[in-house]
Amino acid sequence: MSKKKNTNNDDSLFANDFLKMFLKYGSMLAKADTGTDDVLYPYVEGHASLVVDAVEPVAYHLYISLLHSPVKIFRRITVPANLRLEHLAQIIIRTMGWYNCHLHQFHAQNRQYAPKEDEESGNMSWLSNDIDAMSVTVNDVLKEKGKSIKLEYDFGDSWMHQVRLSAIDDKDRSGKITVDSGTGGCPPE
């Protein structure tokens, strides 16, 4: 019996371990100093589900790249089209290797999507016209193959990620989230 060679690199192992934790425990937002689990998503009553059931869960294949980097840093992931945009942000941030200790927002169609303002937890929308990223799905902002949006992470350093819809798999309705490939680690925070 021959053993299959493991072709995963350290980045994909980290990403897949994170993904398992994300799917088991929900959002991996940093805990507040209270040490309680209920502050992971304090601005969503009842810890909102990862997906919106009203949208068809076809598979979206996304190519995420860190822009303006001297070396190639990217991830290929598969997510359901009905994944909430804020959950996509958390998946991207962690699979790219960031620590999730900075603010973030998506830029799409001349609009910004960010976590809803919540003074208690410290999650503040950067701009007053931000749309709550928990109220929209990936399908709402990426409708056609080839279209892209940007995720800005850390408003001081302004790390920009391009998120491109590389393929839509209408036959895959499993709702699975996978990290398919990638290379490179992000710069130190």
Side-chain angles (χ1 to χ4, degrees):
M1 187 179 221
S2 66
K3 286 187 175 181
K4 192 174 183 180
K5 186 178 179 184
N6 183 355
T7 58
N8 287 336
N9 61 28
D10 289 340
D11 290 332
S12 65
L13 290 174
F14 169 80
N16 284 318
D17 287 344
F18 162 72
L19 197 53
K20 288 176 191 171
M21 289 189 313
F22 184 88
L23 294 173
K24 183 174 181 180
Y25 300 110
S27 167
M28 294 277 94
L29 285 173
K31 293 181 184 178
D33 290 334
T34 62
T36 61
D37 287 339
D38 62 348
V39 294
L40 289 173
Y41 256 125
Y43 53 87
V44 179
E45 288 185 31
H47 297 277
S49 68
L50 291 173
V51 297
V52 175
D53 292 332
V55 179
E56 194 67 35
V58 298
Y60 271 21
H61 298 279
L62 303 176
Y63 179 85
I64 299 114
S65 59
L66 183 63
L67 299 175
H68 314 296
S69 173
V71 295
K72 191 172 190 174
I73 301 171
F74 77 92
R75 303 291 182 269
R76 291 182 202 279
I77 65 174
T78 302
V79 300
N82 59 345
L83 182 70
R84 294 175 191 273
L85 200 57
E86 177 57 21
H87 291 301
L88 176 63
Q90 295 304 313
I91 292 168
I92 292 170
I93 289 166
R94 296 299 184 146
T95 58
M96 292 297 284
W98 300 114
Y99 292 119
N100 194 29
C101 55
H102 297 285
L103 295 173
H104 62 273
Q105 67 182 354
F106 281 99
H107 301 271
Q109 295 100 22
N110 296 318
R111 293 184 165 165
Q112 286 77 38
Y113 301 84
K116 183 179 170 188
E117 184 175 316
D118 180 43
E119 291 179 33
E120 230 176 86
S121 70
N123 289 328
M124 301 293 286
S125 290
W126 193 247
L127 301 171
S128 60
N129 62 346
D130 283 350
I131 297 168
D132 182 8
M134 286 296 287
S135 69
V136 295
T137 65
V138 178
N139 182 61
D140 291 331
V141 295
L142 288 172
K143 296 185 181 290
E144 300 174 13
K145 179 182 172 184
K147 296 291 183 184
S148 65
I149 59 176
K150 290 192 172 126
L151 172 65
E152 180 179 7
Y153 174 73
D154 183 352
F155 297 156
D157 288 328
S158 194
W159 297 108
M160 295 298 285
H161 305 77
Q162 182 176 36
V163 181
R164 182 174 42 87
L165 178 56
S166 55
I168 300 172
D169 186 349
D170 292 327
K171 294 177 183 168
D172 182 355
R173 299 182 188 279
S174 67
K176 289 184 179 177
I177 299 170
T178 59
V179 179
D180 304 317
S181 66
T183 190
C186 288
E189 291 192 54

